[in-house]
Amino acid sequence: MKLNSSQLKIIAMLTMLIDHVGAVLFPQYIILRIIGRIAFFIFAFELVEGYFHTSNVGNYVLRLILFGIVSEFSFDFAFNGSMTFTHQNVMFELALALIMIWLLEIYKDYSSQILRWIFSVLVVFITMFISEVLKFDYSSFGIMMVLVFYLTRNMNFKWYFQLVMLFIINVYIMPVYNIPVAGIKVPIQAFGLISLVFIGLYNGEKGKINKYLVYSFYPIHLLILGLISYFN
């Protein structure tokens, strides 16, 4: 069985919905949050693929920023009950990560290898710094995860490198809480590695899902969850 880009996005949307249902309405059911760990991994992968398949990167960035602005009220309402600027939604994170990829690609063929490496390192660290300062969802760790999919895209045995690097980021670097599994405390974020099973089935085809449906799903489902929580 193979999965196209649209099918991967549907899996990401569904697991994100399950995650947010757990976070907003049923925090006592940790299984919902475990399932939800899959979503961002797939969105990070799709962002990289989207860069290499879009006809206009600038418009892609603007769409993410626009829907980030549109989604901010729903995001704050669902998770905080009111507007706040202490934590920004994931659309801004993805837009920033896309800009990072764009800059890395622009200068990847620069004649001086030393200057190219210096520029690349600066771009990555500045991007991570911005994500931390502005408190984007997933912060610098989300940037690192996108970077993994970008760097491994054309590697042989890329699944192996993705597994190792994402394991290190999500188990040893990202500060997350642990949950007991068979008497052993496991970082919940580690369950996101299950996403590599779905990503490994990607066939490189686009599929037929409307991109604006994917974008709109984010603020709409958060608004609905926020309303349910508010009136309960």
Side-chain angles (χ1 to χ4, degrees):
M1 182 183 72
K2 292 292 184 179
L3 298 172
N4 60 39
S5 179
S6 293
Q7 291 166 329
L8 279 176
K9 287 174 183 174
I10 290 172
I11 292 171
M13 290 162 64
L14 289 176
T15 52
M16 177 176 65
L17 174 61
I18 292 170
D19 182 41
H20 291 164
V21 167
V24 178
L25 302 178
F26 303 106
Q28 67 272 30
Y29 297 117
I30 194 64
I31 185 62
L32 301 178
R33 307 306 311 280
I34 288 174
I35 295 171
R37 298 308 92 211
I38 293 172
F40 185 79
F41 285 72
I42 296 179
F43 283 127
F45 171 79
E46 284 288 345
L47 184 79
V48 175
E49 288 300 304
Y51 173 86
F52 289 101
H53 288 93
T54 188
S55 58
N56 191 318
V57 181
N59 284 345
Y60 192 2
V61 171
L62 288 175
R63 280 197 303 272
L64 287 169
I65 293 174
L66 175 61
F67 275 90
I69 295 171
V70 170
S71 301
E72 191 61 23
F73 171 77
S74 297
F75 178 80
D76 288 340
F77 182 54
F79 292 109
N80 302 298
S82 62
M83 284 294 293
T84 175
F85 295 99
T86 59
H87 190 193
Q88 322 312 325
N89 73 78
V90 76
M91 288 287 189
F92 293 119
E93 175 98 30
L94 294 175
L96 182 61
L98 186 61
I99 293 171
M100 175 188 70
I101 296 172
W102 195 3
L103 292 173
L104 292 176
E105 280 292 300
I106 288 174
Y107 288 94
K108 74 174 185 177
D109 296 322
Y110 193 75
S111 57
S112 172
Q113 185 176 7
I114 295 177
L115 290 178
R116 185 169 68 245
W117 274 98
I118 292 173
F119 176 80
S120 298
V121 170
L122 283 174
V123 166
V124 171
F125 277 96
I126 290 173
T127 303
M128 291 169 61
F129 177 76
I130 292 173
S131 185
E132 287 284 342
V133 170
L134 298 182
K135 301 186 182 303
F136 291 162
D137 205 13
Y138 278 89
S139 61
S140 59
F141 307 104
I143 300 297
M144 285 189 280
M145 290 164 68
V146 172
L147 187 63
V148 167
F149 287 115
Y150 170 71
L151 293 176
T152 59
R153 188 171 185 269
N154 295 315
M155 282 186 178
N156 294 325
F157 303 106
K158 61 183 178 182
W159 62 269
Y160 172 78
F161 292 102
Q162 290 170 353
L163 178 62
V164 171
M165 287 188 279
L166 290 172
F167 180 84
I168 292 171
I169 292 170
N170 289 276
V171 175
Y172 290 106
I173 300 179
M174 185 181 293
V176 295
Y177 59 89
N178 299 323
I179 61 170
V181 178
I184 302 173
K185 289 187 176 181
V186 179
I188 189 174
Q189 196 63 25
F191 290 96
L193 295 171
I194 297 170
S195 64
L196 295 179
V197 175
F198 301 109
I199 291 170
L201 296 173
Y202 177 57
N203 61 10
E205 297 178 2
K206 182 178 180 180
K208 297 181 179 180
I209 193 170
N210 186 290
K211 61 186 175 185
Y212 290 104
L213 173 63
V214 179
Y215 289 128
S216 300
F217 180 80
Y218 185 66
I220 290 173
H221 90 277
L222 285 176
L223 179 60
I224 293 173
L225 291 177
L227 288 170
I228 294 173
S229 176
Y230 181 79
F231 287 108
N232 277 346

